[in-house]
Amino acid sequence: MKTEETTAAGSTITRRRFIATAGSLGIVITAGSFVPKFLMAKDGEEIAIDPQQITAWVKLDKDGRLTIYNPAAEMGQGSMTALAVIIAEELDADWKLVHIENAPVIPETYGMQWSGKLGGPMITAGSRTIRGYYSNLRQAGAQARYILMYNAAQKWGVPISSLKTEPGEVVNRDNNKRMTFGEIVAFAKIPDAIPQIAEKDMKRPENFRLIGKVLPRFDVPLKVDGSAQFGMDIQVPGMVYGAITRSPVFGSTPTLLNENEVRETEGLVDIVPLDHGIGVVANTFEQALKAKRKLQIKWSDGAKAEKFDSEMVYADYHNMVHDDSLKGKELLNTGDAANAIKSAHKTYDWEYRNDFLYHARMEPMNAVVSVAADGKTAEAWAGTQAPDADQSAIAEVLKIDPSKVMFHNCYLGGGFGGRQVEFSAEAAVLSNKVRRPVKLVWTREDDLQYGSYRPISLQRMQAGVDQKGNLLGWRHYIAGPDQRLQGGAVPMAYYKIPNQYVELRLTDHGVRTVYWRSVSHGPNKFAQEAFLDEIAFDQKIDPYQYRRRMMLELPRHLTILDKVATMCNWTTAPAKGRARGIACSDYGGSYTAGVVEISLDRQSGKIRVHHVWAAFDAGVVIQPDNAIAQMEGGIVMGISSVLNESITFKNGKVQQSNFHDYPILRMADAPESIEISQIPSSAPPTSMGELSLPLMGGAIANAFLKLTGKPLRHMPFTGEKVLAVLEG
Amino acid sequence: MKTSFKLNGKQVQVETAPDATLLWTLRDTLQMTGTKFGCGVSLCGACTVHLDGMAVRACVTSISMVAGRSVTTIEGLAEKELHPLQEAWIEEQVPQCGYCQSGQIMQAAALLQANPRPNREQIVSHMNGVLCRCGTYVRIVKAIESAASKSEKQ
Ligand code: FES
Ligand code: FES
């Protein structure tokens, strides 16, 4: 069995050692919040690294090949390539010679920037990867470049100031002599002191060669020939397969009623009871599934979720947001909203609802864990958003130190929030019991019914306006479970609105909830934007102009809004039977505005989104085509969730089970075109992955209002609900 | 039970349970993991392969059905160079997470086999059974259109 002392699959770096590629010389160049240190290794030599002090980001070989270590999970967002581009830009690398490897799981060194320093958790979430690593990785690249120039200067006996770099080469400005980076590696020495490179000595955005240019993603070729390794694809010699039946009502505990019968299943290796389910391990996955199907389990009574009915709960929420004796958590309070509304010329007071949502990542949860015969070490493979947390969870199951768990992060077949830990911990329990490598696979039904969902919520929106329809006061009450997931997305930095008050009234139903792409932005931006549109509609003001009025003093935002209005030809009416809706949103320091064009089948109530336009400002964009892909993906997932998706609970049990009753958007219902425009900027990069999705709820509701004169206030806007609204 | 069939042009024989599916036989017995598991019940298309040139869902294809027939997976779609669709997929930078893309490409390849110059509606109706959660549909259509127009020019 492999242990921590061997290398990660195909990797030249581990928690403890850096291994130079055989037959060449490598330099590990380090950076981060610590005093930089540099290491060299010759011909396959292995050298110890001290994870407390060393942050290895790149390795340069004699043939010029540059390996860049990727600290983030690659789940489709493309940051694996973008992070490498940031280093390569400042290093002035020849992109053709760049190769990307996953960094080992060492949060102390590769962890996300957390309160200003690297070394936080290795979590890929909240669209923080690029903004969180940008300045440190530029520094790493700039210092690596310094070392190369320093060595070339020594060799030629010239001052370093007489040198410059061109892609992959150091060039002497005076005589145009050149040396490739690979040639330098052959004699390179690490200078005694490596200066911290000041911002003014780094490349200016207008001189970027790689950042902001269209470079193909590193992982794409592996994803068109089937060779990319997802957690699901890992094969380990001697591996057996696990499956688990988990609590249908979260919190209930199992008693297996027919152990003997299940043990007779062909190929069965073992039955493993867990707190939240019964696991079976068998020689093949299909045998494990057969054993799983045979399980007869009695579930304990008394779980908190047992009586929960998600369709009934809206009535409670309605009461909660109208009960003046309640006081929840204040999320925003500027001016005096209550009085401003009371004394307004006209007031509005509406409710918006959002059902639970499921992630529906195409790759169901899974993990391979191999616990050593003595139980003292383990090796594990999974696609996770937080490999260090998975590593710790496995260690906790085995009661060993996390450093004894060699964890390999794999490509993730979708992340979208909260894909981490529990599958790894479960696989560790199974493997620990059978002391063989176990591949645990969740079936689609397992994944859907034991999901952790975007929580249900109800939003009560109140506003008061003056005679011209200008907002004087704004109140927003949110009711639902899980503060982490409900309390964001409240400020609207892109609108000037006086007197705002926002309050969260929490509930708890004992069901599982977790981050879901864009988190609170999905429901809260829907409520804000749909409500604004209804006010504009009532005031007979064009919804674009209405938003514009609130942006007049905010030029950055106005640029985005005007851009999208131009892109879609807002002032020209769409074809008959079509209507457009507009919405604004933000995420993690980025801003966007979008327009959808819809039609409606009045027989079935089905809404069809034909075209989408969006403009965004996310600061410097590292990989523009990939940023566009993220906008497109968020739009499609947004439309899917807004039109079709709903998880409902009855007696604490999820009522849906697979894609027939949890339909995610198919190609026939995807927009015919999505047009994205990036507003150029030299500000530091901000978030991309969750920016566009929150536009869809508002924009679609607003287009529907325009088309029919009726508001949609409950997501998803299924045919059934739409028909009810049309009749109502 | 022993079953013989052609896999990506080579004769193979596998020993499985009689009710084994092609999907898990490919993935676990033959260690060909390019074909993905997404739903297990023919709802998502992630497991799409070709059986005698037709796109089928491997998760609901029993191993007995493939005896003596020819199966092509993403690993065997192209021999030396990439298939024009794979090239177009790279050109358009279609994949995000990539998990659905083997199924997408295999489904598209069966279409072009039967209809080298499909129009947009034909593409959409043929591809509709293959889900993509990352939302790459717009690029998939572009990639198929571009592969089709390129092969027509040649
Ligand atoms: S896994 Fe076969 S169609 Fe989903
Ligand atoms: S690329 Fe992720 S599911 Fe299609």
Side-chain angles (χ1 to χ4, degrees), chain A residues 270-549:
Chain A
D270 212 341
I271 300 175
V272 187
L274 299 109
D275 291 343
H276 64 298
I278 303 287
V280 289
V281 178
N283 287 324
T284 72
F285 183 59
E286 291 189 301
Q287 289 167 338
L289 283 181
K290 273 187 202 159
K292 175 171 153 68
R293 278 196 289 269
K294 278 192 201 163
L295 294 170
Q296 286 173 21
I297 301 169
K298 187 178 175 329
W299 297 98
S300 68
D301 293 330
K304 183 173 175 66
E306 199 167 78
K307 301 239 154 53
F308 180 55
D309 184 322
S310 58
E311 304 201 36
M312 304 303 283
V313 85
Y314 284 120
D316 301 341
Y317 288 5
H318 170 85
N319 294 336
M320 280 169 68
V321 297
H322 282 88
D323 184 344
D324 291 336
S325 71
L326 292 178
K327 168 89 180 151
K329 189 178 158 49
E330 200 175 288
L331 299 175
L332 183 68
N333 191 356
T334 63
D336 184 349
N339 262 321
I341 293 173
K342 210 179 290 163
S343 56
H345 171 70
K346 184 163 187 188
T347 60
Y348 299 88
D349 189 346
W350 297 115
E351 278 179 20
Y352 299 83
R353 298 169 182 207
N354 309 273
D355 290 0
F356 285 97
L357 294 182
Y358 160 59
H359 297 74
R361 313 162 182 104
M362 289 312 300
E363 180 194 20
M365 307 279 205
N366 63 81
V368 176
V369 174
S370 178
V371 177
D374 64 3
K376 296 207 168 101
T377 59
E379 187 164 9
W381 298 258
T384 167
Q385 292 180 237
D388 53 341
D390 286 58
Q391 185 183 47
S392 299
I394 295 167
E396 206 176 301
V397 167
L398 303 174
K399 305 198 169 48
I400 58 177
D401 190 81
S403 67
K404 301 289 178 206
V405 179
M406 172 87 163
F407 191 92
H408 309 274
N409 207 3
C410 305
Y411 285 116
L412 281 70
F416 310 127
R419 185 186 196 124
Q420 61 198 59
V421 176
E422 56 184 339
F423 40 88
S424 291
E426 288 179 342
V429 173
L430 301 187
S431 176
N432 195 31
K433 178 86 192 293
V434 302
R435 291 289 159 88
R436 290 170 73 177
V438 175
K439 179 190 280 189
L440 168 71
V441 175
W442 295 31
T443 64
R444 176 57 60 190
E445 290 79 7
D446 296 338
D447 196 272
L448 192 151
Q449 299 202 309
Y450 201 73
S452 267
Y453 310 98
R454 185 173 97 180
I456 190 167
S457 65
L458 181 145
Q459 336 264 333
R460 180 184 179 196
M461 312 298 293
Q462 287 180 292
V465 298
D466 66 14
Q467 272 157 337
K468 290 188 177 140
N470 296 313
L471 284 170
L472 299 173
W474 174 274
R475 269 201 299 205
H476 180 178
Y477 293 91
I478 306 165
D482 207 333
Q483 181 171 338
R484 316 170 286 169
L485 311 178
Q486 305 271 18
V490 164
M492 294 170 280
Y494 35 87
Y495 299 137
K496 233 183 141 202
I497 301 175
N499 303 313
Q500 297 188 49
Y501 181 81
V502 184
E503 187 184 306
L504 173 60
R505 297 189 173 169
L506 279 173
T507 57
D508 179 8
H509 310 297
V511 300
R512 288 154 52 89
T513 49
V514 81
Y515 302 95
W516 192 101
R517 193 177 194 175
S518 311
V519 200
S520 324
H521 278 70
N524 291 353
K525 293 295 164 199
F526 160 54
Q528 293 164 357
E529 291 294 314
F531 185 51
L532 273 178
D533 229 65
E534 288 187 48
I535 298 171
F537 187 81
D538 182 67
Q539 295 285 328
K540 302 191 174 49
I541 306 171
D542 176 85
Y544 158 55
Q545 292 299 339
Y546 192 60
R547 286 170 175 77
R548 215 174 174 280
R549 258 162 49 171

Side-chain angles (χ1 to χ4, degrees), chain A residues 362, chain B residues 95-101 131-134 136:
Chain A
M362 289 312 300
Chain B
Q96 290 189 25
C97 84
Y99 194 79
C100 72
Q101 300 295 344
L131 292 172
C132 175
R133 184 52 152 174
C134 299
T136 65

Side-chain angles (χ1 to χ4, degrees), chain A residues 232-233 632 645 665-666, chain B residues 27 36 43 133 137 139:
Chain A
M232 190 70 93
D233 302 332
E632 292 168 351
E645 299 179 29
L665 204 77
R666 292 183 179 275
Chain B
R27 291 184 50 84
K36 304 301 185 200
L43 289 168
R133 184 52 152 174
Y137 297 129
R139 290 186 186 222

Side-chain angles (χ1 to χ4, degrees), chain A residues 233-254:
Chain A
D233 302 332
I234 298 298
Q235 313 267 347
V236 178
M239 186 172 86
V240 288
Y241 294 82
I244 298 174
T245 293
R246 298 171 190 78
S247 320
V249 175
F250 181 60
S252 62
T253 55

